Amino acid sequence: MSSIISISGLTKTYADGLVALSGIDLEIRRGEIFALLGPNGAGKTTLINIVCGIVNPSSGTVVAGGYNVITQSRQARFNIGLVPQELATDWYESVWGSVSFSRGLFGRPANPALVEDVLKRFHLWEKRDAKIMTLSGGMKRRVMIAKALAHEPTILFLDEPTASVDVELRRELWAEVRGLRESGVTIILTTHYIEEAEEMADRIGVINKGTMVVVDDKIALMKKLGGKHLTLHLQQSLAAIPSALADWPLSLGAGGHQLIYSFDSDGADTGIDRLLHRLTELKIAYRDLHTSQRSLEDIFVDLISERKGRGP
Amino acid sequence: MTAPTINHFAIWAIYKAEMARFARSSIQSILSPVVSTSLYFIVFGTAIGSRMASIEGVAYGAFIVPGLMMLMLLVESLSNASFGMLMHKFSGTIYELMSAPVSHVEMVASFVGAAVTKSMILAALVLATSAFLVPLEIRHPVWMIGFLLLTSVTFCLFGFILGVWAKSWEQLWIIPGLIVTPLTFLGGAFYSIDMLPPAWQTIAMFNPVVYLISGFRWSFYGTADVAIEVSLAAVFAILVVCFAIVAWIFKTGYRLKN
Ligand SMILES: Nc1ncnc2c1ncn2[C@@H]1O[C@H](COP(=O)(O)OP(=O)(O)O)[C@@H](O)[C@H]1O
Ligand SMILES: [Mg+2]
């Protein structure tokens, strides 16, 4: 499988001494949608900004599309598009002017038909002559996406694309991303939502505290990460798990007021049925129940302890 | 796809965007320097100048034209070239410039090119206005334009540095307002350095603007405080220093990259 981006030994220590990345090795495959999943402050933006040339790395190399992003920056950047995390637009420029500007900036000849197409795809066509500062936040986000696509990049970075985005744009964006992938564009997106990574990505890389914890195919990884909790709010608190339930993966929460059952949501039989049945038999009554995805933090704890468990 | 050897599309895109910015604020950015410089001509040239003796054979009203043009040119070059860069930093759109396949030389050329264009338009307008108000004579027109252009390029480059350095709009005004304008007033915009007491003449020689005004005035009237070669050398020296600073900024990413 050919890599379109190769990152090796990448580190970044900011001027204030903060270590944002400590030794990242990562291969992004040509034509895939890759999700970089990690909590806030994990180093996702730093990693993307280094590939795009906005942040200088402290050490390590990045090759994008066959070109070193530092020593062959012009060639490397020529085929990269970036939608940054923060909303940043030219206040006084028109939508049309700003998107056309981006195309020129990235070394492409003017192409009004293409700009028109991009604007129409993102419902910006009616607003093409509006000054960007008069647009709503969601529309500004659309402008930024259109700007990143104006030069027809073959590698597209989306940094937290759905943060503060309405449902409609989110849906459109995902449809667009899938369309781009069909046309051969490689897409790297960051998110701190497991569901989002699961919905979109072919492969997922989990990053935490500047280290890649795991990189795997989505399906394989979701098996590993896809656990869920069933929480039962008990009518009477329990001091300990009754011995009759010792075989079940159960734990107590909220001082014995909650009984928490961990299960695999991908499995054919979640066991919920049998558990509830058993509780009725044991006359353990509950007021309410709900299921939830395990938090990213839980998963990190698992993944990291698993790695440690494997030894050096 | 492979990138062009010279990204002329980007140079043109930035140049056009900068010129559009000037055009959007044409009232403040064109009218105000022309009006204020013209007021100087009226007050100093026509009203007070009529009671002043001519300097080195040049009527006082005409004598101050090169200095005032220089003052306008320096301040406008600095502010126009710095504004665009600070605006990008301020609004966050700098991310796009920093991630684009644009070399440092291309970026400087486009920002500075646009600012120089605007400065030269303003200089032409001020010159045309002054021709109505005072008796003008231009002995060395080619030198005059060359000197104007060279000074404009130098100070637009200086302005670009200022734009990269500044973190606020106030800081943007420190150099033009607090340093360049006083140095221009002290640098012989309104008088010949010869008219100063000897000690002050020596001090004046440390003021780089003296060389700019003197050289520029020479292109008009053939009289100068210092030799034209010295003036030229001084402009080139400032130009080289500015180039060196710009090169250093891009090499280190100073205030552009983390
Ligand atoms: N310019 C900067 N200077 C200093 N520290 C920074 C800077 N940018 C980010 N950081 C720090 O680096 C770490 C990683 O940040 P970031 O890459 O933005 O993470 P993420 O995008 O995953 O939320 C954080 O601790 C953040 O505070
Ligand atoms: Mg981030």
Side-chain angles (χ1 to χ4, degrees):
Chain A
M1 187 65 76
S2 73
S3 293
I4 193 157
I5 298 177
S6 293
I7 297 171
S8 58
L10 192 65
T11 71
K12 174 65 187 179
T13 306
Y14 281 108
D16 58 7
L18 191 129
V19 180
L21 297 176
S22 37
I24 299 279
D25 296 296
L26 180 64
E27 303 283 322
I28 307 287
R29 295 173 186 166
R30 191 176 297 275
E32 72 177 347
I33 298 180
F34 186 90
L36 203 53
L37 175 65
N40 279 326
K44 303 182 294 295
T45 299
T46 303
L47 181 59
I48 284 190
N49 284 353
I50 291 174
V51 181
C52 294
I54 294 169
V55 169
N56 285 329
S58 302
S59 68
T61 56
V62 180
V63 178
Y67 300 102
N68 184 303
V69 299
I70 301 289
T71 58
Q72 298 164 299
S73 59
R74 184 195 292 270
Q75 283 296 341
R77 293 170 183 198
F78 190 68
N79 294 314
I80 296 179
L82 165 68
V83 183
Q85 182 175 348
E86 303 293 335
L87 213 50
T89 50
D90 200 339
W91 300 340
Y92 302 103
E93 186 63 91
S94 71
V95 171
W96 176 272
S98 188
V99 174
S100 305
F101 170 81
S102 298
R103 186 172 166 84
L105 194 64
F106 279 77
R108 307 305 199 277
N111 185 343
L114 184 130
V115 173
E116 179 176 339
D117 176 56
V118 173
L119 293 187
K120 282 183 172 161
R121 265 152 55 200
F122 287 95
H123 302 288
L124 290 164
W125 182 243
E126 277 69 42
K127 293 279 185 189
R128 62 189 178 278
D129 295 323
K131 278 196 171 54
I132 296 175
M133 67 175 176
T134 65
L135 302 179
S136 68
M139 291 299 274
K140 283 183 183 143
R141 180 69 63 178
R142 287 166 194 263
V143 173
M144 293 186 67
I145 299 165
K147 279 166 76 75
L149 293 174
H151 67 283
E152 305 157 274
T154 53
I155 303 173
L156 179 66
F157 286 95
L158 300 166
D159 197 355
E160 310 246 354
T162 56
S164 70
V165 150
D166 57 37
V167 180
E168 188 192 357
L169 176 55
R170 188 182 169 127
R171 193 162 32 79
E172 280 169 32
L173 185 59
W174 287 159
E176 195 64 39
V177 163
R178 290 201 178 91
L180 287 168
R181 178 169 166 270
E182 292 304 305
S183 66
V185 177
T186 305
I187 294 136
I188 297 98
L189 58 93
T190 72
T191 178
H192 50 259
Y193 300 114
I194 297 178
E195 296 82 1
E196 199 160 276
E198 184 177 11
E199 185 186 347
M200 290 307 299
D202 299 310
R203 285 196 316 140
I204 297 174
V206 180
I207 184 171
N208 191 34
K209 297 194 176 122
T211 310
M212 293 302 299
V213 182
V214 63
V215 179
D216 212 337
D217 280 342
K218 173 177 71 185
I219 297 165
L221 197 67
M222 285 335 278
K223 269 222 159 57
K224 216 180 287 183
L225 307 187
K228 277 190 153 185
H229 289 316
L230 169 70
T231 305
L232 296 150
H233 300 262
L234 304 176
Q235 291 198 336
Q236 262 151 14
S237 67
L238 291 172
I241 308 275
S243 55
L245 291 170
D247 293 345
W248 296 79
L250 291 170
S251 59
L252 288 174
H257 286 284
Q258 289 179 0
L259 189 64
I260 300 158
Y261 170 55
S262 306
F263 65 97
D264 178 3
S265 56
D266 287 338
D269 175 18
T270 58
I272 293 176
D273 235 19
R274 279 178 293 119
L275 176 66
L276 296 183
H277 204 79
R278 191 89 184 93
L279 290 176
T280 313
E281 285 172 10
L282 294 169
K283 299 205 163 44
I284 297 175
Y286 47 90
R287 287 184 285 111
D288 195 7
L289 79 178
H290 72 268
T291 64
S292 55
Q293 189 88 42
R294 293 165 67 227
S295 74
L296 207 48
E297 284 69 31
D298 293 344
I299 291 162
F300 287 134
V301 171
D302 281 8
L303 287 170
I304 292 162
S305 60
E306 179 188 315
R307 283 211 309 187
K308 285 202 182 111
R310 272 206 310 261
Chain B
M1 240 206 297
T2 49
T5 318
I6 294 172
N7 191 350
H8 57 275
F9 298 111
I11 298 177
W12 180 234
I14 298 173
Y15 183 89
K16 237 176 26 179
E18 283 290 288
M19 293 310 287
R21 190 168 61 73
F22 297 146
R24 274 197 296 271
S25 57
S26 54
I27 300 289
Q28 305 101 290
S29 70
I30 293 179
L31 217 55
S32 101
V34 172
V35 167
S36 62
T37 310
S38 305
L39 285 176
Y40 276 121
F41 292 144
I42 293 168
V43 173
F44 288 99
T46 321
I48 299 173
S50 60
R51 290 154 192 249
M52 304 267 290
S54 61
I55 300 174
E56 290 158 19
V58 180
Y60 187 70
F63 180 83
I64 63 173
V65 169
L68 285 174
M69 275 184 73
M70 217 20 121
L71 174 64
M72 187 278 305
L73 188 77
L74 300 187
V75 171
E76 287 296 317
S77 295
L78 283 176
S79 58
N80 290 328
S82 55
F83 200 89
M85 205 57 187
L86 184 59
M87 194 72 192
H88 279 293
K89 289 201 314 189
F90 209 72
S91 66
T93 48
I94 187 87
Y95 85 85
E96 200 181 18
L97 292 175
M98 299 317 292
S99 65
V102 181
S103 73
H104 309 151
V105 175
E106 288 160 357
M107 199 177 297
V108 172
S110 48
F111 273 103
V112 170
V116 168
T117 307
K118 189 187 168 197
S119 293
M120 293 303 279
I121 292 171
L122 286 175
L125 285 174
V126 169
L127 189 64
T129 316
S130 69
F132 279 110
L133 300 170
V134 291
L136 266 193
E137 173 195 11
I138 303 172
R139 287 222 192 142
H140 311 286
V142 177
W143 276 97
M144 195 271 290
I145 293 168
F147 211 80
L148 211 53
L149 199 59
L150 194 61
T151 311
S152 174
V153 169
T154 304
F155 278 76
C156 286
L157 210 54
F158 190 175
F160 182 83
I161 296 168
L162 210 57
V164 172
W165 165 79
K167 283 183 169 166
S168 66
W169 303 105
E170 289 82 44
Q171 283 186 346
L172 214 55
W173 293 106
I174 289 177
I175 303 281
L178 246 47
I179 297 177
V180 173
T181 305
L183 284 183
T184 311
F185 277 93
L186 296 173
F190 295 105
Y191 51 83
S192 166
I193 299 297
D194 289 347
M195 295 157 77
L196 294 172
W200 283 101
Q201 287 191 26
T202 314
I203 293 170
M205 289 303 123
F206 290 99
N207 176 356
V209 183
V210 164
Y211 301 90
L212 303 179
I213 294 177
S214 167
F216 195 45
R217 189 177 287 139
W218 172 87
S219 71
F220 278 76
Y221 309 119
T223 62
D225 292 322
V226 293
I228 178 69
E229 293 80 9
V230 178
S231 288
L232 271 178
V235 188
F236 270 112
I238 305 173
L239 186 63
V240 167
V241 171
C242 290
F243 265 122
I245 298 173
V246 168
W248 174 82
I249 283 174
F250 280 113
K251 190 159 177 286
T252 59
Y254 174 76
R255 292 207 175 165
L256 290 177
K257 291 190 184 193
N258 296 310

